[in-house]
Amino acid sequence: SQKIEQNSEALNIQEGKTATLTCNYTNYSPAYLQWYRQDPGRGPVFLLLIRENEKEKRKERLKVTFDTTLKQSLFHITASQPADSATYLCALGMDSSYKLIFGSGTRLLVRP
Amino acid sequence: DTGVSQDPRHKITKRGQNVTFRCDPISEHNRLYWYRQTLGQGPEFLTYFQNEAQLEKSRLLSDRFSAERPKGSFSTLEIQRTEQGDSAMYLCASSFLGNTEAFFGQGTRLTVV
């Protein structure tokens, strides 16, 4: 069956450390993968997109990797801040459709 | 504010009633999407419009659900004969043709009692 898995347990880290979140998928062949941030009671906000032919993308303190062999994406936040505390969602996109297929998200807590 | 706007933000309704939600996308965006999100889960795709044409519908969208985008601008999502299982956050998103990045609204939280 098709699955997208993100850590269901919250990730709790100290301010200044690097947060690494994982997104694994099964039985999908995505053309691209996106990461979104979602705060409680609000809609998701787009952060980064990485395509199947790209291995790494960076934007300020954010870095995303995409390994189509391992069927995995890693999302890194360097020099984390308490303001980074939120739920982070990965989403797969296919060539055949414009819909996004979301994982269930991982909650990140950054302690001051 | 020129972001995606949804109305209402919250709706409480009795089981069996009909409800309608509205979404105003970013004005130059051709594509409009509806998603549903329950607690602890990611958004689930419901349907997608390109301009006024509804191009894709999820199997989640039962015959009690209908969506329209009559002039290719705002969209409505109607749920008929609501059930308790319809309780969720209904999210609207829009994107520009040629761009896959989706801009989400704040959502409409539906509670069916």
Side-chain angles (χ1 to χ4, degrees):
Chain A
S1 63
Q2 294 177 314
K3 286 191 299 185
I4 303 173
E5 292 180 312
Q6 295 186 255
N7 281 355
S8 56
E9 290 186 17
L11 180 62
N12 197 326
I13 64 168
Q14 184 74 41
E15 181 176 9
K17 301 292 187 186
T18 295
T20 298
L21 286 70
T22 304
C23 176
N24 294 297
Y25 58 92
T26 308
N27 291 328
Y28 284 110
S29 296
Y32 57 89
L33 189 148
Q34 298 183 2
W35 283 87
Y36 287 79
R37 169 186 173 137
Q38 187 171 28
D39 292 286
R42 302 179 78 90
V45 175
F46 172 81
L47 295 174
L48 278 171
L49 176 149
I50 187 164
R51 300 191 182 279
E52 60 177 334
N53 60 349
E54 297 173 319
K55 293 211 177 300
E56 183 178 299
K57 263 293 187 53
R58 291 175 185 260
K59 179 182 175 183
E60 298 171 354
R61 295 185 296 113
L62 309 180
K63 184 178 88 171
V64 174
T65 63
F66 193 8
D67 189 325
T68 54
T69 302
L70 291 179
K71 297 187 183 298
Q72 180 181 78
S73 175
L74 299 179
F75 178 77
H76 307 271
I77 306 175
T78 58
S80 60
Q81 303 165 2
D84 295 327
S85 298
T87 295
Y88 291 85
L89 299 158
C90 72
L92 306 184
M94 310 295 165
D95 273 336
S96 56
S97 166
Y98 290 107
K99 71 183 180 189
L100 293 171
I101 305 165
F102 282 87
S104 55
T106 298
R107 189 170 170 216
L108 173 66
L109 298 170
V110 181
R111 301 189 309 273
Chain B
D1 187 348
T2 56
V4 177
S5 176
Q6 291 190 246
D7 184 69
R9 291 292 311 279
H10 304 274
K11 178 73 177 177
I12 300 174
T13 191
K14 291 184 178 179
R15 191 172 50 189
Q17 297 294 303
N18 299 344
V19 293
T20 300
F21 309 141
R22 177 180 170 122
C23 171
D24 286 273
I26 294 171
S27 58
E28 62 268 26
H29 283 185
N30 311 85
R31 295 189 181 135
L32 186 147
Y33 314 80
W34 285 98
Y35 287 83
R36 179 172 69 187
Q37 187 176 25
T38 53
L39 200 61
Q41 300 299 314
E44 291 179 293
F45 172 78
L46 293 177
T47 190
Y48 151 68
F49 290 85
Q50 184 162 308
N51 299 314
E52 65 273 12
Q54 189 174 19
L55 296 185
E56 192 172 352
K57 286 168 59 171
S58 165
R59 283 170 289 181
L60 291 174
L61 214 64
S62 76
D63 56 5
R64 296 185 298 106
F65 289 70
S66 63
E68 292 182 343
R69 193 181 182 198
K71 296 182 180 178
S73 56
F74 73 92
S75 175
T76 58
L77 178 68
E78 181 184 17
I79 309 174
Q80 296 182 326
R81 305 182 303 281
T82 52
E83 302 172 355
Q84 286 190 318
D86 297 332
S87 295
M89 174 78 87
Y90 289 83
L91 291 163
C92 176
S94 68
S95 68
F96 190 66
L97 200 65
N99 194 335
T100 60
E101 170 188 342
F103 291 80
F104 281 83
Q106 303 283 46
T108 294
R109 180 164 296 285
L110 173 67
T111 303
V112 182
V113 297

